[in-house]
Amino acid sequence: QVQLVESGGGLVQAGGSLRLSCAASGRTFSTYAMGWFRQAPGKEREFVAFIRGSGGISYYADSVKGRFTISRNNAKNTVYLQMNSLTPEDTAVYYCAADQRDPYYSGNYYYTGWYHYWGQGTQVTVSS
């Protein structure tokens, strides 16, 4: 089993930045595909960003492309989401997700149901 703990959420004004962190348990973190998802009140959970275990390939939702950056430090068992130019539309609970499988060839990195492990979420609120 893998435990994921998100941190770094909070209240920020529009145009500001936040960096989310997701700390993972386990000894094989470098083999895990990692994703960030978010869920706003009354809406379905949606894909935000993905990074392969190697860290060499990442993908982003169109809504955050150019503003958000996903990265990982395998030595620290941590994945990050740097969020810049935030808008009120980015307000949501942000979830970290992990899976030991590599979704690169199947394209399942975007799919909420594909990931086996999830964190508890961290709230991001962007004020006008």
Side-chain angles (χ1 to χ4, degrees):
Q1 298 295 317
V2 175
Q3 298 288 326
L4 304 174
V5 180
E6 301 98 332
S7 62
L11 176 64
V12 64
Q13 65 181 15
S17 298
L18 285 173
R19 189 177 78 156
L20 306 183
S21 298
C22 175
S25 65
R27 300 179 179 88
T28 58
F29 179 76
S30 63
T31 70
Y32 277 74
M34 302 292 296
W36 285 99
F37 292 77
R38 66 186 183 185
Q39 188 167 21
K43 300 182 67 176
E44 296 293 321
R45 191 170 300 185
E46 65 176 356
F47 168 74
V48 175
F50 159 82
I51 189 167
R52 294 181 82 189
S54 67
I57 296 176
S58 59
Y59 295 98
Y60 300 91
D62 288 341
S63 59
V64 306
K65 193 175 300 181
R67 299 188 297 122
F68 291 11
T69 302
I70 188 171
S71 63
R72 66 193 297 156
N73 187 327
N74 288 340
K76 296 182 178 180
N77 279 19
T78 303
V79 63
Y80 306 95
L81 185 69
Q82 178 66 47
M83 306 185 295
N84 299 327
S85 301
L86 287 163
T87 75
E89 288 68 42
D90 296 314
T91 295
V93 176
Y94 283 71
Y95 295 91
C96 177
D99 201 284
Q100 197 166 19
R101 298 170 295 172
D102 188 348
Y104 177 75
Y105 300 102
S106 66
N108 285 332
Y109 60 86
Y110 71 93
Y111 180 44
T112 301
W114 183 83
Y115 292 85
H116 283 126
Y117 306 105
W118 291 85
Q120 83 291 340
T122 185
Q123 177 70 49
V124 172
T125 303
V126 184
S127 63
S128 300

